[in-house]
Amino acid sequence: MTTNTAAARRYSTGAMIFHWLIAILVIVNWRIAEAAEHAEMPAKAEIFADHKALGIAILVLTLGRLMWRWTHPVPPLPSTLKAWEAKLARFVHILFYVLLIGLPLGGWLANSLAGRAVEFFGMFTIPALPVGSNEELGKTIFDLHATGGEIFIYLIGLHILGALKHTFFDKNGGIFRMLPFGKVPG
């Protein structure tokens, strides 16, 4: 297969599965956090328990995705991209990985500082990190976690707009690079 085939310009099936699964879970987890913010106790704590568990699942899947990425070739960006578009795409993808790892770790750390373990959907308990107790620092980290989550949502919006622009205006394959169907031009 030459590097000019559509398959070489499309992400691997494993990368697609990781991408879409993580994307769906991130959106669901954002909506869970929003629901928890508007709930009263004890429902609020139960909803946040699901948010925390899903965050750990996202962390594990992200680490799996990174291992997949390091062992499977990534298709080159379309040659039609302007230099600033390519740089922005790379920067946003790096920020995605930072947030996909940093947000769950930050949430786990903040819970640990508050002396709380993370229940993984009633299947098992993820123990608190051995960091001691510091409620004030935990609250600060929770605030940073919330701000990071908001930034993440805006980046996702930017990512979606970019994929749509490249698909429908630039016609360079855009979203079809991350789907097993659709035209990815040469």
Side-chain angles (χ1 to χ4, degrees), residues 3 25 31 38 43 46 57 63 65 76 88 93 101 104 109 129 135 144 158 164 173 182:
T3 58
L25 293 179
R31 298 309 306 152
H38 297 95
E46 292 172 15
L63 296 175
R65 182 175 180 181
L88 180 61
H93 280 98
I101 293 168
L109 175 61
L129 295 166
E135 292 275 341
L144 291 170
L158 178 66
L164 293 173

Side-chain angles (χ1 to χ4, degrees), residues 3 11 24 42 47 51-52 56 58 61 82 95 98 106 109 116 137 155 158 160 167 172 175:
T3 58
Y11 282 86
I24 290 166
I47 297 169
H51 174 76
K52 295 171 193 179
I56 295 296
I58 291 167
L61 286 168
K82 296 175 180 74
L95 282 178
V98 167
L109 175 61
R116 294 187 296 262
L137 180 57
L155 286 175
L158 178 66
I160 291 168
T167 303
N172 67 8
I175 198 169

Side-chain angles (χ1 to χ4, degrees), residues 106-117:
W108 187 13
L109 175 61
N111 275 284
S112 298
L113 288 164
R116 294 187 296 262

Side-chain angles (χ1 to χ4, degrees), residues 131-171:
V131 293
S133 180
N134 187 332
E135 292 275 341
E136 196 59 37
L137 180 57
K139 184 183 176 324
T140 300
I141 293 171
F142 275 130
D143 290 343
L144 291 170
H145 177 84
T147 300
E150 288 178 26
I151 291 168
F152 200 12
I153 294 304
Y154 289 118
L155 286 175
I156 290 168
L158 178 66
H159 181 66
I160 291 168
L161 288 173
L164 293 173
K165 174 196 177 287
H166 295 303
T167 303
F168 299 110
F169 293 101
D170 300 342
K171 301 194 184 304

Side-chain angles (χ1 to χ4, degrees), residues 1-161:
M1 175 185 334
T2 67
T3 58
N4 198 28
T5 67
R9 292 185 308 277
R10 196 181 300 274
Y11 282 86
S12 67
T13 301
M16 289 181 200
I17 291 168
F18 276 118
H19 176 273
W20 292 108
L21 183 57
I22 292 169
I24 290 166
L25 293 179
V26 165
I27 298 301
V28 167
N29 215 22
W30 166 53
R31 298 309 306 152
I32 289 171
E34 289 293 312
E37 285 296 330
H38 297 95
E40 298 294 327
M41 292 301 265
K44 182 175 194 153
E46 292 172 15
I47 297 169
F48 265 127
D50 289 341
H51 174 76
K52 295 171 193 179
L54 202 51
I56 295 296
I58 291 167
L59 173 63
V60 170
L61 286 168
T62 299
L63 296 175
R65 182 175 180 181
L66 280 171
M67 286 189 283
W68 183 271
R69 185 179 176 109
W70 289 327
T71 58
H72 293 78
V74 175
L77 291 172
S79 60
T80 57
L81 289 185
K82 296 175 180 74
W84 70 267
E85 289 175 312
K87 286 178 185 175
L88 180 61
R90 286 190 180 96
F91 180 70
V92 168
H93 280 98
I94 290 168
L95 282 178
F96 276 162
Y97 282 112
V98 167
L99 291 167
L100 285 167
I101 293 168
L103 287 173
L105 286 178
W108 187 13
L109 175 61
N111 275 284
S112 298
L113 288 164
R116 294 187 296 262
V118 175
E119 294 296 322
F120 194 80
F121 300 113
M123 293 187 282
F124 56 88
T125 300
I126 300 166
L129 295 166
V131 293
S133 180
N134 187 332
E135 292 275 341
E136 196 59 37
L137 180 57
K139 184 183 176 324
T140 300
I141 293 171
F142 275 130
D143 290 343
L144 291 170
H145 177 84
T147 300
E150 288 178 26
I151 291 168
F152 200 12
I153 294 304
Y154 289 118
L155 286 175
I156 290 168
L158 178 66
H159 181 66
I160 291 168
L161 288 173

